Amino acid sequence: MTNVMVVEDSAGIRKLIRASVEAAGGSVVAEASGESRAVQAVSSLNPDLVVVDIRLEEGNGFGVIQRLRRQLPNLIIIVLTWQDRTQFEPICLQYGADYYFEKSANEYLEFEATLKALMARDVGAVNTARV
């Protein structure tokens, strides 16, 4: 099973992401609303995948992406945000994100399809094998 961490400042959106992860066959092992808590939790829990927003209660998603990419190079990082793709996707990818989705109806469906595809590949087994 793929273990997922959700880094999002909105409790409602965290709940929605949790439901999507579980529907795809994954398990949410932790949630955080700020950068410091997210980095600490990932260090101790070692999830296979992180879903992160750019705007957070403390710090920001850019910091999360950069710090996690340095610590865990095989970690899959998905950005899910309200921020405009044309402006922010290149920055997120440069910092080490693997995927970028806007919080819109169409892109949320693409996000869910990506989750399902990753879960079907059993990302957890893939990441364990790479370590």
Side-chain angles (χ1 to χ4, degrees):
M1 178 175 289
T2 302
N3 292 321
V4 178
M5 173 155 187
V6 178
V7 185
E8 165 66 52
D9 60 330
S10 166
I13 299 292
R14 286 195 307 267
K15 184 176 180 179
L16 180 65
I17 294 169
R18 176 181 287 275
S20 296
V21 167
E22 291 172 354
S27 175
V28 174
V29 295
E31 297 178 4
S33 59
E35 182 177 336
S36 297
R37 168 73 177 105
V39 173
Q40 289 171 345
V42 168
S43 296
S44 63
L45 297 171
N46 199 24
D48 307 301
L49 187 151
V50 173
V51 178
V52 62
D53 191 4
I54 292 174
R55 288 189 150 193
L56 301 172
E57 288 179 3
E58 172 268 320
N60 60 59
F62 300 129
V64 172
I65 296 165
Q66 287 179 303
R67 292 169 69 183
L68 295 183
R69 183 54 67 214
R70 282 193 301 263
Q71 289 178 9
L72 299 165
N74 293 326
L75 179 68
I76 295 174
I77 301 172
I78 299 176
V79 175
L80 181 64
T81 187
W82 289 111
Q83 306 306 312
D84 178 62
R85 172 184 294 280
T86 57
Q87 185 177 359
F88 290 97
E89 181 180 28
I91 298 167
C92 290
L93 296 177
Q94 178 185 347
Y95 287 163
D98 297 295
Y99 301 91
Y100 187 99
F101 299 98
E102 288 182 12
K103 291 177 184 169
S104 67
N106 287 340
E107 290 215 17
Y108 198 84
L109 292 175
E110 289 180 37
F111 164 73
E112 288 184 315
T114 299
L115 279 178
K116 288 178 185 173
L118 291 168
M119 304 298 166
R121 281 191 352 205
D122 193 5
V123 173
V126 172
N127 281 343
T128 301
R130 284 192 265 175
V131 174

